[in-house]
Amino acid sequence: MKTDSYLLLNELKEITKQNLQHATGFQSLSNEKLNYKPSPQSWSILQCLEHLNYYAAFYYPHLEKNILASTAEAETFKSGFWGNYLVKIVIPSGNSKKMKTFKSMDPSRSVLSADVLERFIESQEEMLDFIDWAYKINLNKGKIPVTFTKLIKLKTCDALRFMVYHNKRHITQALRLV
């Protein structure tokens, strides 16, 4: 995938703002509703958000390091093979399939409280900061590891894309529970 960096960042920013808006809307829900699971195998709203918090805890330090170390912007972003692959599998669609998550990223055994929601909201605000910084850097640079192997590294913008679309996927999942 090859695209205009500015347009891509605008899209990621809008999706993140929508994710933030939905998360803020969850604040009006009771703790019972936030923890409701339609079946033992499914996740609650808070479990969806905690899963995303786990990913933020892994990726954000790498994003910050790469963004702060980068120089000179690039007008065009060209996605790497792995970045494009990972984004394609997490982009929510009408027929999104269930995916098995890695044990380290699975919140299903967790008892959660509303602080999960607060941390997710903070992470979305931080993501907006990352995107704002990204307008000034070369998005084709960076070597950000993925959670499941040290052998694969993503370009900075591929990591941003993965995080934003992964967030959108699980916000969509959480919205179905409201």
Side-chain angles (χ1 to χ4, degrees):
M1 177 194 93
K2 197 173 185 176
T3 189
D4 179 278
S5 297
Y6 185 79
L7 294 176
L8 176 59
L9 290 172
N10 284 347
E11 178 184 345
L12 297 180
K13 191 173 197 171
E14 283 308 307
I15 293 169
T16 301
K17 285 179 180 179
Q18 290 168 6
N19 291 340
L20 182 56
Q21 183 179 17
H22 291 306
T24 303
F26 294 150
Q27 290 177 311
S28 66
L29 300 175
S30 68
N31 200 44
E32 182 182 343
K33 187 71 173 167
L34 290 170
N35 281 293
Y36 169 75
K37 293 169 54 163
S39 74
Q41 304 88 327
S42 59
W43 286 353
S44 69
I45 292 170
L46 289 181
Q47 287 172 327
C48 290
L49 299 180
E50 183 69 345
H51 172 72
L52 297 174
N53 287 338
Y54 293 161
Y55 273 87
F58 177 84
Y59 281 102
Y60 281 21
H62 296 290
L63 280 168
E64 183 173 19
K65 178 182 169 193
N66 276 272
I67 286 171
L68 294 176
S70 187
T71 58
E73 61 189 271
E75 289 182 18
T76 303
F77 171 69
K78 186 174 182 329
S79 182
F81 171 81
W82 286 110
N84 218 31
Y85 174 78
L86 291 173
V87 168
K88 280 183 180 179
I89 63 172
V90 298
I91 287 179
S93 65
N95 59 353
S96 290
K97 294 180 184 173
K98 275 190 160 190
M99 297 171 62
K100 188 114 171 110
T101 193
F102 298 101
K103 220 175 210 178
S104 63
M105 300 296 182
D106 187 349
S108 60
R109 291 179 191 56
S110 306
V111 176
L112 303 170
S113 63
D115 75 303
V116 168
L117 181 53
E118 298 307 317
R119 285 187 287 124
F120 180 74
I121 289 170
E122 288 172 12
S123 81
Q124 292 308 280
E125 291 167 349
E126 194 171 354
M127 177 56 79
L128 288 171
D129 290 341
F130 286 143
I131 294 169
D132 284 341
W133 293 339
Y135 284 99
K136 301 172 187 110
I137 66 166
N138 185 341
L139 299 172
N140 296 299
K141 301 287 183 187
K143 292 191 169 142
I144 297 177
V146 296
T147 56
F148 57 90
T149 180
K150 294 180 183 196
L151 300 175
I152 298 173
K153 307 270 191 231
L154 301 177
K155 295 177 181 184
T156 301
C157 196
D158 278 331
L160 285 170
R161 289 173 60 224
F162 172 78
M163 288 295 297
V164 169
Y165 285 112
H166 187 232
N167 289 344
K168 182 178 180 176
R169 178 185 188 91
H170 289 290
I171 287 290
T172 301
Q173 179 183 0
L175 287 168
R176 286 194 298 264
L177 297 169
V178 176

